[in-house]
Amino acid sequence: MKITGLETFLVAPRWLFLRVATDEGITGWGEPVVEGRAETVRAAVHELADHLVGQDPLRIEDHWQVLTKGGFYRGGPILSSAVAGIGQALWDIAGKAYGVPVHRLLGGPVRDRVRMYAWIGGDRPSDVAELAKAQVEAGFTAVKTNASAELAAIDTPARTAEVVERVAAVREVLGDERDIAVDFHGRVSTAMARRLLPLLEPLHPLFVEEPVLPEHSGHLRSLVESTSIPLATGERLYSRWDFREVMTSGIAAAQPDLSHAGGISEVRRIAAMAETYDVAMAPHCPLGPIAPGSQPADRLRGSQLPDPGTEHGHSLQPAVRPAGLRHGPGTLPLRQRLRRRRLPPRAGCRHRREGRTSRRRDRTPLAQPRMARRRRIVHRMVTHRPSTESPAQGEHPYMNLVESLRVHRLLAIVRGKDSAAALRTVVTLAEEGVAAIEVSLTTADALTVIRQARAELGPDAVLGAGTVRSAADAARAVDAVDAGASYLVTPALVDGLEPYGVPVLMGALTPSEIELALARGADAIKLFPGSLGGPPYLGALRDPFPEVPFVPVGGVDAAAARDYLDRGAVAVGVGSPLIGDAADGGDLGQLRGRVAAFRATVTRETP
């Protein structure tokens, strides 16, 4: 396998994605970027590309050593970030080539759950207590705040008191059972840090982050010795050599950024160094959706992708315009790229539909169940394209799933604890003109709801079964198809759904996940959770994936629905903002009102 090219994509609001292609059709994705310097890092990536094209992508360590040490000038945020993104993409290729997640190549997972905290700002707001309260109600057990705007080198007692009062207000909301972390962001001089840290001690912060600028890391030891508060730093350190001094100072947590500090390879070495100094690892990552996927550590730093200008805004470079991803000319369309040199499918192989490019030839074939007559009929029903001739009056020719979603533009997602109420909800949605409906398999007696709904609505209804979470759900999925579901919806990547003969709307978020979902036979992509990137992220994805049908799901209200559709979504999937409590026995009249409002929004009708 050889590398054939590197493409970069500038993504709103301030992200840079990298796609590395190979001659075997396997592609890898990375996120090489410095906030406020995306164009600069992009140039560095393309300068390094000459070394990589024609090389074996699986020689990751060799490439890392050459890219970082092969020039006279080494290190720094630009080069380290460029190498980080390239490394992420190469690890992505390796995982796909060997058919395992990257963590398996590094020794396997060490935990199944991670604690998350929510960012609540704190530069200049007076309402941090209210913001903290909202995050507590959302279920978070910790928050982080700046607690201060920029301070003078030696500021007044009044400004010092403001910082302490702001943190105290958040502590009062959180109580003693939750945590608050304070990020100085290097805005505080060493002298002011010495003044503030003892005053914050009674409030017991989880940690104070970047108490001084990285160029003043030599003062960290004195700060550690002056306070009982755990100190953390590292988001602006770019190699194990940068971390060597701060590790010996007694900090509590190291925070290398997976897209700045040399990528997965180097951060893994930094983690090993941290272990020898009894320093915890809490990698930094306020970036796009690719970089968080390379986190190997014990704590994710945020609850969501930050909005531009919040945690790490930069005044010297405006947010990338929301026109989408930009790259050089002459690139191949995605579908052509995916079909390069594909291996022919083999009978009995669970990957027969996609024709894997993997070199793993010793798989144990799985038995293929014969598709029941009922399922073949359903398959023909939902995949038959409408005739070019006008149908007779009263007839509604069947369309495939994507065409149906494109026409109706709204996919209602029904889940509830009361099967009778869920059925009434499905019927009411159909009566109000919502033709595309997904019944979650987590609904009480979901198969009965699907069966009765199909009987009530007839064969024309675009009725599917959702929350197919894994191949272990396959038995219920096939039962749902037998009950009348004409398509399946998954929240994430799922193998083994091909034998059921119905279209699949498969969940994915990052570019790599999208490519894998397409390779696994997805007919459309459920962009989930859509709220992480919002409509601008979908607009950006249209560039590398121009022909892929997207259905954003998760956090879609009426305003976001219109924005998603304007940016190229074939439809939007809406659950609780549309259904409310109707599927649990709530007021159907209110449901009708919400349906009218959503339909008016997605069809541009006037309510």
Side-chain angles (χ1 to χ4, degrees), residues 189-214:
S189 68
T190 304
M192 285 300 295
R194 288 197 184 99
R195 175 178 291 179
L196 280 168
L197 289 171
L199 297 176
L200 292 174
E201 285 181 4
L203 301 173
H204 302 288
L206 177 65
F207 58 79
V208 168
E209 181 174 336
E210 256 196 349
V212 293
L213 285 165

Side-chain angles (χ1 to χ4, degrees), residues 9-15 38-39 42 308 317-327 535-537 539-541 543 567:
F9 305 88
L10 283 169
V11 184
R14 57 177 187 177
W15 305 332
E39 290 277 14
R42 184 187 199 190
Q317 178 175 310
V320 178
R321 66 176 185 268
L325 300 171
R326 292 180 280 153
H327 56 89
Y537 180 52
L541 288 173
D543 197 354
R567 294 175 187 268

